[in-house]
Amino acid sequence: MKPSPPNSLAIAWRCPPKSLVLSDCEVHVWQAGLDQAPSQIDQYLRILSADERARADRFYFRKDRDHFIVARGTLRSILSRYLNRAPESLSFSYSAHGKPSLERESGEEAIRFNLAHSHEAALYALVRDREVGIDLEFIHGNPQAEQVTERFFSPREILTLRALPPAVQRYAFFLCWTRKEAYIKARGEGLSLLPLDQFDVSLTPGHPAELLGTRPDPLEANRWSLRDLTLEPLGYAAALAVEGDGWSLALWQWQNSPEAAD
């Protein structure tokens, strides 16, 4: 029987300590805000790589550009605290399906990470010696929700969603979507190799996040733990997928000019 993941009700977002240690039985998740002052955005822009700056310049809307800069700058700043290296010195590589990793970091002890951002918030998950995926969505009215459900949800998920009271179906839709995306991102495979309708997640509000079934290998579901995350402020759905079990979770609140807590 697969163990249940840690209890989300007992954990709150905290200010990080001065010294950060990430063991192989821990998962660290950071929450950060993307709306920042122009001076802060400029500071983050200076630590980005040429490739990241070029990607930022391709955004049509200034707000999207600024959010990308803050999200990438925050990622570099967080990783630098664990690696004791300057954030601008970090280099990233990408899998064939776009999953990022740190260059020149390999082996079982290497830090693995994943990130997600939506609306005005970003999340970052860090682990060692296991895979991880994280997803975040701002909850809003989605006129294409029905089409997305039909195209990407499994038959089991569709039946569960439609059996729920209409008042909670929108929230359940986003619970399902973030849990599926977190798992896909943890696997690091594209939809051509792992279609979204080939696995089932729980989606009923108030029930634990769980990977209920995987096809064609039903044992694959036992390799993963799913976990919901509650952001501050509310209004988002977020999910974490972690390979294996026996891990503990720490939630850290990122501040752009952080004064570390003892």
Side-chain angles (χ1 to χ4, degrees):
M1 180 177 179
K2 187 168 75 170
S4 298
N7 185 346
S8 62
L9 298 179
I11 304 174
W13 301 92
R14 298 180 293 159
C15 293
K18 291 179 180 179
S19 178
L20 284 164
V21 177
L22 176 64
S23 73
D24 58 7
C25 60
E26 290 181 311
V27 179
H28 288 194
V29 175
W30 292 77
Q31 177 183 193
L34 297 180
D35 280 350
Q36 300 299 327
S39 60
Q40 182 66 63
I41 296 171
D42 289 342
Q43 288 182 34
Y44 280 139
L45 182 61
R46 286 195 288 270
I47 66 174
L48 299 190
S49 66
D51 173 67
E52 288 169 325
R53 290 194 293 269
R55 289 174 63 185
D57 287 340
R58 288 197 288 269
F59 284 96
Y60 183 81
F61 294 107
R62 178 62 179 265
K63 184 175 183 179
D64 294 335
R65 172 188 176 273
D66 290 349
H67 281 184
F68 174 82
I69 292 170
V70 173
R72 298 296 295 200
T74 302
L75 171 66
R76 287 177 168 274
S77 300
I78 290 171
L79 289 171
S80 72
R81 294 196 58 180
Y82 292 89
L83 300 171
N84 294 316
R85 289 166 51 187
E88 61 271 22
S89 72
L90 304 180
S91 298
F92 301 106
S93 59
Y94 299 87
S95 71
H97 299 287
K99 188 174 184 178
S101 61
L102 283 161
E103 283 191 342
R104 297 187 295 275
E105 293 285 326
S106 60
E108 291 185 352
E109 294 302 313
I111 289 179
R112 305 178 194 183
F113 67 91
N114 202 235
L115 67 154
H117 52 87
S118 178
H119 195 51
E120 299 174 356
L123 291 175
Y124 307 85
L126 286 76
V127 296
R128 294 187 192 272
D129 194 24
R130 64 180 77 225
E131 295 297 338
V132 66
I134 198 165
D135 194 57
L136 169 68
E137 294 290 340
F138 180 65
I139 299 173
H140 60 281
N142 186 350
Q144 296 182 322
E146 184 64 27
Q147 295 94 310
V148 171
T149 299
E150 290 288 344
R151 181 176 179 184
F152 295 113
F153 288 11
S154 71
R156 180 178 181 177
E157 291 163 345
I158 294 172
L159 287 174
T160 302
L161 182 64
R162 290 177 175 169
L164 293 173
V168 301
Q169 285 188 11
R170 181 173 67 171
Y171 181 48
F173 169 86
F174 282 101
L175 289 180
C176 186
W177 184 258
T178 53
R179 292 169 185 178
K180 292 176 82 68
E181 280 288 306
Y183 174 62
I184 282 278
K185 293 171 72 175
R187 290 281 300 267
E189 300 173 353
L191 297 183
S192 60
L193 296 178
L194 185 59
L196 287 170
D197 62 357
Q198 291 303 298
F199 61 94
D200 313 307
V201 299
S202 60
L203 57 89
T204 302
H207 290 202
E210 188 176 358
L211 184 60
L212 299 173
T214 50
R215 295 172 291 279
D217 180 8
L219 298 180
E220 176 68 16
N222 295 325
R223 292 185 54 235
W224 300 90
S225 300
L226 292 187
R227 167 69 188 272
D228 284 334
L229 300 168
T230 301
L231 272 66
E232 301 170 358
L234 302 175
Y236 293 86
L240 176 71
V242 181
E243 184 182 18
D245 49 54
W247 48 270
S248 62
L249 179 65
L251 301 179
W252 305 120
Q253 179 68 55
W254 176 256
Q255 297 175 333
N256 292 294
S257 298
E259 296 183 4
D262 292 328

